């Protein structure tokens, strides 16, 4: 195609983003209906971040995620049946019902059980990269975090260590401008989070996190640097959460004007427009969405028909 | 056979394990700087010469390097994390309590996190922030095993078992028992050295030992307090009181069997600990004994512990704070006088 990407690759980006969006929409519905237990932090509006970054990875690379992990899990190719089952707390869930939404993961797919303490995953991803380096393996760790996490001490401790030890790690900061309800401008004076990288003498880049191609290209460069042994990179992905922080949050702290603008700039709409300009048809895109929806319905059925864990399964899996 | 201090025995254990398995490495502050101390109490002294790539000196970033240890354990390494003083574990508490202790469980048992955490404890002239006994904070945390070696023999065998264990294991080491030499020697130290066999041995985690046989009173104590209990037992023996001293060696899992067997014989239990009484090790042991062994007891269980305050600095107050042999002797006599 004239953009330099194959049609197949572009449609795969699209499919994954739509899979995340539709998965989250279905989960939201199930949750609000009271069918699904627990609490949820959803990823609508940030799909290009996960898909762009994870598409730059190879088998054997590992990510850490956050309290908002569904998008990262899907982008890493986790089975959505086992994800849905986990959300329902079922035995067939990816963590056998012990993790739930906030600890979703599958190490086989390169996803550490998501770490739901803000900033808690940053040293862990750094340690994974440290392990790769010690074992002289050409693998890369990616640490997803939100804007809020960059105010945690672990962010600074980790970037410093990754810098002095030249570790193969990419820090992907999804800046959606709100830590829960608090706007980022209230909690940091730097205009760009990527500026913080200079304190550790590592590259810091800010990109449009709603542009999947830009995210992908930036991530590819950072991942390649890491794999070549040239050290860590901090990537700030500017995005927006077009849903509440969690559960039933109506996000009244997001000004209507800002929200409206964000909806116009949301990644799937934006990418669809781009694809159509590349002569891909609306019908092709619709077909993808329909297939994805069917896949999700299958996952919901699978999850709901799966057995619950036994109460006494509580006692398993603590020690090896 | 050679007589080694705890610091030397731990060093030997680390060296042997690093030689045996190249995925074992040490990480911490000041652990291998030429001209430095080999950690705060000389345990890793000189190991950087033998293993230049596997003795990792870190920035002062406890939360950071505990997380690094965890991350590295997920990809096949076996870190031994060194913290200069147990008190600093609080700086890394999220990594320890929320991540290291829980990641395997959260994954549904799909991952393992073989991490050893070494931490010096003991009230030793340093005031409130370099003295705490940290075990009570962690005994209530599911997901981490805890060992407390009181002799060099146990230190070596337990550390080697910890390194080979597939789970997180914390090893609490007492500053007055290390036998650290030179600039890092500790005033008031007591001899905890042992004859260390030339051949390899392991001590299983979760198995206690009877330090001293007796028939009248059971004392359960670890680390320095185990030695104080033995001193007290020797004193009262002259007065015809026979004390059995049990060193559980591990707090998690706990060797209930050895304690129960002893109480079945003596009918009396004293627990001695250096940490504050409230919510301490003694509280846990006493509660379980009350639930399961009340019928065997001929006297109320007694806890000898530090008061519910931070550790004070002044030597006068510190002496008051830490249970000593005199207090243990007194408690033994009181218990015998009300129940014989």
């Amino acid at each position: 195609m004239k953009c330099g990407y194959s049609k197949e690759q572009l449609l795969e980006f699209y499919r994954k983003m739509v899979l995340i969006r539709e998965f989250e929409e279905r989960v939201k519905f199930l949750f609000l209906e009271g069918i699904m237990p627990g609490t949820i932090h959803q990823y609508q509006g940030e799909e290009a971040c996960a898909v762009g970054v994870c598409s730059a990875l190879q088998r054997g690379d590992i990510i850490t995620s956050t309290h908002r992990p569904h998008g990262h899990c899907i982008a890493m190719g986790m089975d959505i049946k086992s994800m849905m089952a986990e959300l329902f707390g079922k035995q067939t869930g990816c963590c056998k019902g012990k993790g739930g939404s906030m600890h979703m993961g599958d190490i086989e797919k390169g996803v550490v059980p998501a770490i739901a303490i803000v900033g808690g995953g940053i040293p862990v991803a750094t340690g994974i990269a440290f392990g790769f380096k010690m074992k002289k393996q050409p693998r890369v760790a990616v640490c997803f975090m939100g804007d809020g996490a960059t105010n945690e001490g672990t962010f600074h401790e980790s970037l410093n260590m990754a810098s002095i030890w030249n570790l193969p790690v990419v820090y992907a900061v999804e800046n959606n401008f709100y830590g829960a309800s608090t706007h980022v401008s209230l909690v940091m004076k730097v205009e760009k989070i990527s500026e913080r990288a200079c304190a550790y003498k590592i590259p810091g880049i800010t990109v449009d996190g709603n542009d999947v191609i830009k995210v992908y290209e930036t991530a590819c460069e950072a991942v390649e640097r890491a794999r070549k042994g040239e050290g860590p990179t901090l990537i700030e992905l500017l995005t927006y959460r077009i849903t509440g922080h969690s559960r039933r949050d109506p996000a009244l702290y997001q000004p209507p004007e800002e929200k409206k603008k964000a909806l116009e700039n949301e990644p799937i709409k934006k990418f669809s427009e781009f694809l159509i300009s590349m002569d891909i048809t609306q019908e092709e895109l619709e077909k993808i969405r329909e297939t994805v929806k069917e896949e999700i319905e299958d996952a919901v059925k699978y999850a709901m028909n799966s057995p619950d864990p036994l109460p006494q399964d509580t006692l398993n899996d603590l020690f090896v | 056979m050679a007589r080694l201090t705890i610091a030397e025995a731990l060093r030997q254990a680390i060296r042997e394990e690093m030689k045996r398995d190249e995925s074992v490495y040490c990480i911490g502050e000041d652990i291998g700087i030429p001209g430095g101390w080999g950690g705060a109490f000389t345990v890793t002294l000189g190991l950087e010469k033998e293993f230049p790539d596997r003795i990792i000196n870190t920035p002062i970033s406890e939360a950071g390097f505990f997380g690094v240890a965890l991350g590295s354990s997920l990809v096949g390494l076996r870190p031994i994390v060194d913290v200069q003083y147990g008190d600093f574990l609080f700086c890394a508490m999220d990594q320890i309590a929320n991540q290291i202790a829980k990641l395997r469980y959260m994954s549904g048992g799909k991952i393992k996190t073989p991490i050893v955490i070494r931490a010096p404890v003991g009230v030793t002239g340093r005031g409130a922030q370099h003295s705490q006994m940290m075990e009570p904070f962690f005994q209530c945390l599911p997901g981490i095993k805890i060992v407390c070696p009181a002799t060099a023999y146990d230190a070596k065998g337990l550390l080697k078992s910890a390194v080979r264990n597939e789970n997180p294991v914390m090893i609490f080491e007492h500053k007055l028992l290390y036998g650290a030499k030179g600039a890092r020697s500790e005033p008031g130290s007591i001899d905890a050295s042992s004859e260390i066999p030339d051949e390899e041995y392991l001590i299983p985690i979760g198995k206690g030992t009877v330090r001293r046989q007796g028939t009248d009173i059971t004392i359960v104590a670890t680390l320095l307090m185990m030695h104080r209990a033995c001193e007290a037992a020797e004193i009262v023996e002259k007065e015809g009181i026979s004390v059995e001293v049990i060193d559980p060696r591990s707090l998690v899992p706990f060797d209930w069997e050895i304690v129960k067997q002893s109480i079945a014989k003596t009918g009396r239990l004293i627990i001695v600990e250096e940490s504050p009484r409230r919510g301490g090790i003694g509280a846990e042991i006493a509660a379980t004994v009350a639930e399961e062994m009340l019928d065997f007891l001929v006297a109320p269980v007694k806890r000898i512990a530090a008061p519910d305050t931070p550790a004070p600095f002044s030597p006068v107050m510190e002496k008051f704070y830490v249970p000593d042999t005199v207090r243990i002797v007194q408690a033994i006599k009181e218990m015998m006088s009300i129940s014989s």
Side-chain angles (χ1 to χ4, degrees), chain A:
Chain A
M1 308 218 91
K2 58 191 174 192
C3 59
Y5 288 87
S6 70
K7 182 173 175 180
E8 208 183 4
Q9 191 168 12
L10 293 177
L11 290 182
E12 182 56 14
F13 286 156
Y14 180 79
R15 189 190 70 83
K16 277 200 164 151
M17 292 209 292
V18 171
L19 182 57
I20 296 171
R21 175 69 56 90
E22 294 296 336
F23 183 91
E24 290 293 54
E25 287 298 322
R26 189 72 179 96
V27 164
K28 188 175 191 170
F29 179 76
L30 288 163
F31 183 79
L32 292 176
E33 290 272 290
I35 299 169
M36 186 176 274
T39 187
I40 43 166
H41 300 82
Q42 297 206 288
Y43 202 67
Q44 291 98 321
E46 305 184 20
E47 293 89 348
C49 300
V51 172
V53 171
C54 296
S55 300
L57 298 179
Q58 298 175 359
R59 193 165 169 76
D61 295 341
I62 294 182
I63 70 157
T64 61
S65 181
T66 68
H67 56 287
R68 201 179 300 288
H70 308 169
H72 305 142
C73 294
I74 291 174
M76 287 297 280
M78 272 177 62
D79 170 26
I80 64 164
K81 283 185 176 157
S82 75
M83 286 178 63
M84 198 62 90
E86 188 61 33
L87 289 169
F88 277 97
K90 296 298 180 88
Q91 212 175 60
T92 53
C94 53
C95 305
K96 301 197 290 199
K98 288 207 169 79
S101 169
M102 283 197 279
H103 304 309
M104 200 164 265
D106 180 356
I107 201 70
E108 291 298 310
K109 293 285 179 186
V111 186
V112 175
I115 291 172
I117 303 290
V118 173
I122 313 175
V124 180
T126 307
I128 291 168
F130 177 87
F132 291 158
K133 179 160 182 175
M134 256 205 149
K135 297 184 93 176
K136 300 189 170 62
Q137 296 171 339
R139 299 162 72 186
V140 176
V142 169
C143 178
F144 283 102
M145 70 186 95
D147 41 275
T150 71
N151 286 332
E152 289 280 3
T154 51
F155 171 82
H156 301 277
E157 294 187 14
S158 299
L159 266 66
N160 185 49
M161 285 188 289
S163 162
I164 58 173
W165 295 331
N166 221 28
L167 299 181
V169 55
V170 176
Y171 299 103
V173 180
E174 298 168 332
N175 180 0
N176 65 20
F177 294 91
Y178 290 89
S181 64
T182 302
H183 193 265
V184 72
S185 62
L186 297 173
V187 293
M188 61 181 79
K189 245 185 177 175
V190 287
E191 273 167 29
K192 289 179 177 174
I193 287 173
S194 61
E195 287 172 37
R196 292 185 157 174
C198 74
Y200 309 102
K201 226 177 165 183
I202 66 172
I205 309 151
T206 298
V207 289
D208 179 357
N210 284 356
D211 182 334
V212 69
I213 301 272
K214 270 195 195 142
V215 174
Y216 173 71
E217 287 174 354
T218 310
C220 281
E221 231 173 276
V223 167
E224 202 190 321
R225 277 194 71 233
R227 215 181 297 282
K228 283 199 309 210
E230 292 170 14
T233 305
L234 174 65
I235 303 176
E236 178 186 19
L237 304 161
L238 299 175
T239 185
Y240 200 82
R241 162 162 57 72
I242 57 176
T243 180
H245 165 67
S246 69
R247 306 235 291 183
R248 296 172 183 82
D249 172 23
L252 298 175
Y253 44 85
Q254 295 179 336
E257 256 320 291
E258 181 184 283
K259 230 183 210 165
K260 205 177 136 212
K261 235 167 120 184
L263 283 171
E264 282 159 20
N265 189 41
E266 65 96 354
I268 294 177
K269 180 169 178 279
K270 201 163 160 162
F271 193 50
S272 303
E273 285 162 10
F274 170 77
L275 293 176
I276 284 167
S277 77
M278 290 287 119
D279 299 331
I280 289 167
T281 65
Q282 191 67 48
E283 289 69 42
E284 281 174 286
L285 299 185
E286 268 317 302
K287 205 175 151 214
I288 290 173
R289 192 178 285 267
E290 286 316 310
T291 315
V292 156
K293 278 185 166 175
E294 280 166 30
E295 204 184 321
I296 291 165
E297 282 322 302
D298 284 349
V300 173
K301 269 183 219 141
Y302 172 81
M304 291 180 76
N305 293 328
S306 284
D308 283 323
L310 301 172
Q312 59 269 31
D313 286 340
T314 304
L315 307 177
N316 306 333
D317 299 323
L318 185 61
F319 290 120
V320 178

Side-chain angles (χ1 to χ4, degrees), chain B residues 127 185 269 321 323:
Chain B
S185 67
L269 173 64
Y321 184 87

Side-chain angles (χ1 to χ4, degrees), chain A residues 62 86 93-96 98-100 102-103 105-107 112-132 134-137 139 154 157-158 160-161 164-165 167 313-320, chain B residues 23-25 27 53-77 91 94-95 98-99 101 103-113 142-145 165-168 252-253:
Chain A
I62 294 182
E86 188 61 33
C94 53
C95 305
K96 301 197 290 199
K98 288 207 169 79
M102 283 197 279
H103 304 309
D106 180 356
I107 201 70
V112 175
I115 291 172
I117 303 290
V118 173
I122 313 175
V124 180
T126 307
I128 291 168
F130 177 87
F132 291 158
M134 256 205 149
K135 297 184 93 176
K136 300 189 170 62
Q137 296 171 339
R139 299 162 72 186
T154 51
E157 294 187 14
S158 299
N160 185 49
M161 285 188 289
I164 58 173
W165 295 331
L167 299 181
D313 286 340
T314 304
L315 307 177
N316 306 333
D317 299 323
L318 185 61
F319 290 120
V320 178
Chain B
S23 64
V24 178
Y25 75 100
I27 182 166
D53 303 327
R54 288 194 278 150
I55 299 289
I56 308 297
N57 296 293
T58 67
I60 308 296
S61 303
E62 287 83 7
F65 69 76
F66 272 80
V68 165
L70 170 58
S72 73
S73 79
L74 298 177
V75 292
L77 295 182
C91 301
D94 172 61
Q95 289 300 316
N98 281 324
Q99 320 304 342
L103 212 54
R104 172 179 168 77
Y105 188 79
M106 278 158 32
S107 78
K110 290 185 182 170
I111 59 171
K112 55 184 187 179
T113 52
I144 296 186
K145 299 187 177 188
N165 202 281
E166 299 295 349
N167 304 290
V252 181

